Amino acid sequence: MGELQTLSVMGLPLHAGNHYEDWLLLRYQQGLGTHVVTLNAEMAMQADQNPPLKAVLQQADLAIPDGAGIVLYFRVKGKRVERCPGIELAEALLQKLQPDQPVFFLGAAPGTADQAAQKWQMKKPDLAIAGIQNGYFSTQELPALENRLQQLQPAVILVALGVPRQEFWIAERRSLCPHAIWIGVGGSFDIWAGTKERAPAWFCNNHLEWLYRLYQEPWRWRRMLALPQFAFRALTYSG
Ligand code: UDP
């Protein structure tokens, strides 16, 4: 595991490195809690329009380069940053957890979180699953969920509520489990559960995962305009 290098894009921190899971586990062993942000162009553009989101992203302990747009931006700036999709960091971390380091699955549609957890249990029988909660709970159910997290003190809390809800959710509640590794993982549960597919390697290797996603979820086209907007905004950003 090399050192993490802190870079900046549109006023947001980005930590360049590799094997982030080892860095996270080391921090966990030291009793330090961590909020992980998986930064992509769409998120950076949202933060540009949403100062509270920007503040949350600026306060995260670790921001990894999840999206191709972020990597290309740094390439243009002459910095080599290796892309690390959030789902791959989550997978590498779960693979390395010890039986006394339980994980909590929070988010996605009813049934999907269970299925994702089940898949993981099959893949890694000694994985300790602290709990599972889908992402469509009511405000009345919230206090019970918060109590549950506080009682369980999971080592890792995967929050799949979509951007920016998951980022706010973590920032507002991380003090419930101050030593945990909290990660906003977007649509990862859908992929583990098999309700959505990741792009084939060819698309990923050619920075075209977004194109495959557009083909699978065409209604995202408007959201994807964030990519060219990001390129322009990031390269002309000052301050
Ligand atoms: N989701 C949720 N509760 C909500 C809204 C969304 O649990 O109120 C889940 C949704 O089911 C999906 C994930 O959040 O599993 C968001 O996935 P998406 O691929 O849209 O992630 P994004 O690109 O927004 O990070």
Side-chain angles (χ1 to χ4, degrees), residues 40 42-43 106-109 112 134-136 160-166 185-190 196 213 217 220 223:
N40 56 45
E42 202 184 318
M43 213 189 262
L106 170 61
T112 303
N134 73 63
Y136 294 84
L161 296 174
V163 178
R165 195 173 158 212
Q166 62 195 21
V185 291
S188 300
F189 292 3
D190 299 276
K196 276 186 205 160
R213 221 164 163 191
E217 302 168 67
R220 291 178 84 100
R223 286 176 58 177

Side-chain angles (χ1 to χ4, degrees), residues 210-218:
W210 60 271
L211 185 63
Y212 188 80
R213 221 164 163 191
L214 188 62
Y215 155 73
Q216 275 214 327
E217 302 168 67

Side-chain angles (χ1 to χ4, degrees), residues 6 21 25 48 61 65-67 82 105 116 120 132 144 165-166 184 187 198 200-201 215-216 226:
T6 305
E21 70 281 6
L25 287 169
D48 206 37
D61 309 287
D66 168 85
E82 211 174 308
F105 290 82
W120 266 102
I132 306 166
R165 195 173 158 212
Q166 62 195 21
R198 272 200 83 187
Y215 155 73
Q216 275 214 327

Side-chain angles (χ1 to χ4, degrees), residues 61-122:
D61 309 287
L62 180 68
I64 64 162
D66 168 85
I70 300 287
V71 171
L72 291 173
Y73 165 79
F74 284 110
R75 193 163 294 176
V76 169
K77 292 275 173 184
K79 296 211 168 70
R80 210 175 162 77
V81 170
E82 211 174 308
R83 182 168 175 233
C84 177
I87 187 168
E88 289 180 16
L89 170 58
E91 287 170 357
L93 183 63
L94 293 194
Q95 287 290 7
K96 288 190 180 173
L97 289 182
Q98 300 296 317
D100 63 345
Q101 297 173 325
V103 54
F104 195 102
F105 290 82
L106 170 61
T112 303
D114 295 287
Q115 248 177 307
Q118 227 172 53
K119 284 269 168 75
W120 266 102
Q121 196 72 86
M122 282 195 291

